[in-house]
């Protein structure tokens, strides 16, 4: 009976740190020394303590450990890691509290990376995504992305939804780690699909931003060339462009906000060469005292070079684009119905 019990114990497979210690002792000092150079100090302390306290290990147990290792190595020739793999790898090798600390670090780094990548997505894309999801998912996304990103996304949401999402963010309760990992994985995959779907729109927006910075003649040449080769793209780009001529299509309040920040001499230069209808719409955006000063300058000043006029108009257009980017005014919002076209 005692002999049977002894055989049962001696044939029991080794696990965790006992298996590591037995394998190191079996492979001999030179190979074990090379391998242990890759261990952390705490791991070495655990292994050496285990070796010092280890009971006799049978040949059968060592053979089972080697066979299991060899089988796992062959099966894992094409490997892909995950947080669960890390946790399984450490189980039995390190104390539970140290494993917990390492896993928190691993998961924290992975999750941080996910939300960093999502924070780099355009706020319009994020807003479109969360508007189609449950408000609780919207609150989760906005509570995880960078604050600056969340603020921009919130500005794209309808007021009632924005207020509801903010309330949910304030009442948010911690989510179980495993559940959070599943949610994050799903959201990340959704965003990759969403990004691919919106890649074309993002490209048009970037190209429109470049064309907006061009001189008027260069802008027209590019659009004419695109119209003959890629008419659909040219049409999309035209809808995204904003030029000095488009300023009269802004709502009156937006025009007033814009010209409040434009120096008088720049306004005078930009208005030179414009027709009476265009000029009158711009003058209506100025305060009465500033309007009188501008009108006086326009009537009495010498003609300006075409280059100076173009630079003044470009500066005002750039300012409008910057203000729109900061959310201070809206472009292409359909101001006056009769748009001026030069």
């Amino acid at each position: 009976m005692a002999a049977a019990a002894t055989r049962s114990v001696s044939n029991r497979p080794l696990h965790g740190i006992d298996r590591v210690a037995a394998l190191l002792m079996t492979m001999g000092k030179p190979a074990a020394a090379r391998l242990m150079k890759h261990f952390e100090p705490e791991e070495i302390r655990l292994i050496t303590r285990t070796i010092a306290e280890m009971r006799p290990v049978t040949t059968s147990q060592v053979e089972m450990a080697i066979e299991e290792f060899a089988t796992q190595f062959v099966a894992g020739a094409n490997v892909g890691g995950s947080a669960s793999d890390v946790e399984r790898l450490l189980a039995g090798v390190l104390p539970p509290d140290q494993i917990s600390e390492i896993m928190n670090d691993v998961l924290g780094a992975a999750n941080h990376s996910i939300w960093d990548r999502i924070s780099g997505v355009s706020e319009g894309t994020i807003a479109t995504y969360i508007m189609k999801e449950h408000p609780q998912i919207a609150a989760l996304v906005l509570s995880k992305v960078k604050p600056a990103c969340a603020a921009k996304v919130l500005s794209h949401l309808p007021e009632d939804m924005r207020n509801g999402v903010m309330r949910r963010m304030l009442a948010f309760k911690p989510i179980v780690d495993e559940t959070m990992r599943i949610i994050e994985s799903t959201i990340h995959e959704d965003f990759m699909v969403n990004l691919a779907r919106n890649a074309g729109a993002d490209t048009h927006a970037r190209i429109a931003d470049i064309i907006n910075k061009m001189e008027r003649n260069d802008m027209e040449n590019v659009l004419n060339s695109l119209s003959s080769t890629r008419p659909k793209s040219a049409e999309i780009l035209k809808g995204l462009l904003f030029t000095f001529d488009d300023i009269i299509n802004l709502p009156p309040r937006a025009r007033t906000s814009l010209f409040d920040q434009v120096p008088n001499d720049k306004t005078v230069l930009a208005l030179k060469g414009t027709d009476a209808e265009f000029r009158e719409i711009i003058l209506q955006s100025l305060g009465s005292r500033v309007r009188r000063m501008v009108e006086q300058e326009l009537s009495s000043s010498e003609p300006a070079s075409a280059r100076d006029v173009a630079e003044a108009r470009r500066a005002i257009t750039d300012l409008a684009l910057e203000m729109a980017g900061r959310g201070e005014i809206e472009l292409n919002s359909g101001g006056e119905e009769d748009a001026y076209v030069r």
Side-chain angles (χ1 to χ4, degrees), residues 16 19 80-93 99 103:
R19 178 168 55 181
S82 67
S84 299
D85 292 328
V86 174
E87 196 165 9
R88 283 195 298 270
L89 183 65
L90 297 177
V93 177
I99 292 176
M103 290 308 300

Side-chain angles (χ1 to χ4, degrees), residues 17 42 46 49 86-87 90-105:
I17 196 167
E42 180 61 27
L46 285 169
R49 190 182 305 128
V86 174
E87 196 165 9
L90 297 177
V93 177
L94 298 177
D97 57 340
Q98 193 170 351
I99 292 176
S100 177
E101 183 180 344
I102 291 173
M103 290 308 300
N104 286 338
D105 183 60

Side-chain angles (χ1 to χ4, degrees), residues 127-144:
T128 300
Y129 174 80
I130 64 176
M131 287 174 68
K132 297 176 182 177
E133 298 296 323
H134 189 280
Q136 195 72 0
I137 295 296
L140 172 65
V141 171
L142 293 180
S143 67
K144 291 291 185 180

Side-chain angles (χ1 to χ4, degrees), residues 24-44:
L24 286 172
M25 291 177 67
T26 303
M27 67 178 59
K29 182 178 177 180
R34 288 197 301 271
L35 186 59
M36 290 185 73
K37 288 179 181 179
H38 299 281
F39 291 171
E40 296 294 332
E42 180 61 27
E43 293 171 338
I44 293 174

Side-chain angles (χ1 to χ4, degrees), residues 119-192:
S119 296
V121 177
S122 70
E123 56 268 21
T125 300
I126 299 176
T128 300
Y129 174 80
I130 64 176
M131 287 174 68
K132 297 176 182 177
E133 298 296 323
H134 189 280
Q136 195 72 0
I137 295 296
L140 172 65
V141 171
L142 293 180
S143 67
K144 291 291 185 180
V145 297
K146 294 179 179 178
C149 173
K152 291 178 181 177
V153 173
L154 284 167
S155 69
H156 283 70
L157 303 181
E159 186 176 352
D160 56 342
M161 182 179 183
R162 181 170 64 240
N163 295 338
V165 168
M166 290 293 288
R167 286 194 295 270
R168 287 176 182 272
M169 290 172 69
L170 287 169
F172 223 80
K173 295 181 179 179
I175 299 175
V176 177
D177 288 345
E178 186 61 32
T179 303
M180 177 60 81
R181 285 200 287 272
I182 294 170
I183 293 173
E184 286 171 337
S185 176
T186 302
I187 289 175
H188 188 251
E189 289 176 7
D190 285 349
F191 265 102
M192 293 307 100

Side-chain angles (χ1 to χ4, degrees), residues 132-336:
K132 297 176 182 177
E133 298 296 323
H134 189 280
Q136 195 72 0
I137 295 296
L140 172 65
V141 171
L142 293 180
S143 67
K144 291 291 185 180
V145 297
K146 294 179 179 178
C149 173
K152 291 178 181 177
V153 173
L154 284 167
S155 69
H156 283 70
L157 303 181
E159 186 176 352
D160 56 342
M161 182 179 183
R162 181 170 64 240
N163 295 338
V165 168
M166 290 293 288
R167 286 194 295 270
R168 287 176 182 272
M169 290 172 69
L170 287 169
F172 223 80
K173 295 181 179 179
I175 299 175
V176 177
D177 288 345
E178 186 61 32
T179 303
M180 177 60 81
R181 285 200 287 272
I182 294 170
I183 293 173
E184 286 171 337
S185 176
T186 302
I187 289 175
H188 188 251
E189 289 176 7
D190 285 349
F191 265 102
M192 293 307 100
V193 173
N194 203 28
L195 276 176
R197 188 182 299 122
N198 288 281
D202 289 343
T203 300
H204 284 109
R206 288 194 296 271
I207 298 299
D209 190 43
I210 293 171
I211 296 176
N212 264 325
K213 303 294 184 183
M214 292 180 173
E215 297 296 332
R216 183 61 186 245
N217 290 339
D218 294 335
M219 180 187 294
E220 290 176 352
N221 288 337
V222 168
L223 289 175
N224 288 336
S225 175
L226 286 173
S227 294
S228 60
T229 57
R230 303 188 64 174
K232 289 185 178 179
S233 291
E235 199 61 33
I236 293 172
L237 288 170
K238 287 177 183 178
L240 295 171
L241 295 178
F242 183 83
T243 67
F244 183 73
D245 293 344
D246 296 319
I247 288 175
I248 63 169
N249 295 325
L250 295 175
R253 184 178 298 177
R255 278 201 307 273
T256 299
S257 298
L258 171 62
F259 282 97
D260 278 348
Q261 299 187 36
V262 178
N264 292 347
D265 59 338
K266 196 83 69 181
T267 301
V268 171
L269 270 175
L271 289 178
K272 287 182 179 291
T274 56
D275 65 21
E277 182 184 359
F278 184 96
R279 185 178 300 184
E280 178 59 28
I281 292 174
I282 299 300
L283 290 173
Q284 288 174 3
S285 305
L286 309 177
S288 56
R289 186 176 66 85
V290 174
R291 174 172 180 161
R292 285 195 299 271
M293 292 172 61
V294 170
E295 285 178 323
Q296 184 177 355
E297 285 289 327
L298 284 170
S299 61
S300 61
S301 62
E302 296 293 326
S305 69
R307 179 177 179 178
D308 289 341
V309 171
E311 287 180 355
R313 293 177 181 178
R314 168 55 57 201
I316 296 173
T317 304
D318 287 346
L319 176 60
L321 291 167
E322 290 172 10
M323 293 177 68
R326 294 193 297 265
E328 298 172 11
I329 62 174
E330 269 187 61
L331 305 181
N332 303 321
S333 55
E336 283 78 12

